[in-house]
Amino acid sequence: MLSEFKTFIMRGNVLDLAVAVIIGGAFTALVKSLTNNLITPIISFFTGGTSDLKNLQLVITKQLTFKYGAFLNDVINFIIIAFVVFMLVKIVNRFFRSNKEEAAVVNPELEILTEIRDLLEAQKKA
């Protein structure tokens, strides 16, 4: 059972997924830092000067408070991460598409040899 587990863990897909999760976590922390330390102060300057968007809230009663600032922070984080993932997918797709196009190009020598083979076969039948 231990050797089966080792084989499962050492598969390429599992390792790729583990690396992706680790990098994704680090990237999320980086985006949160960007949002909290650079983007939020700029937005807060235009929304009334609060030092942090998380402090923006709508208090209806003592027990009913809508913290829309924290939601705005999360929306900004999501938009940044979604845009970066979109760009990565676009780059990867372009790379794979160009590789497929290169593979689809037929070697001219091979094309000529194929024609010669077909002509020889036609002569044998005639």
Side-chain angles (χ1 to χ4, degrees), residues 37-49:
N37 298 321
L38 296 176
I39 295 174
T40 299
I42 293 170
I43 292 174
S44 66
F45 177 75
F46 292 109
T47 60

Side-chain angles (χ1 to χ4, degrees), residues 41-61:
I42 293 170
I43 292 174
S44 66
F45 177 75
F46 292 109
T47 60
T50 59
S51 63
D52 190 5
L53 285 181
K54 290 180 182 178
N55 295 332
L56 296 175
Q57 56 188 2
L58 176 64
V59 179
I60 305 297
T61 65

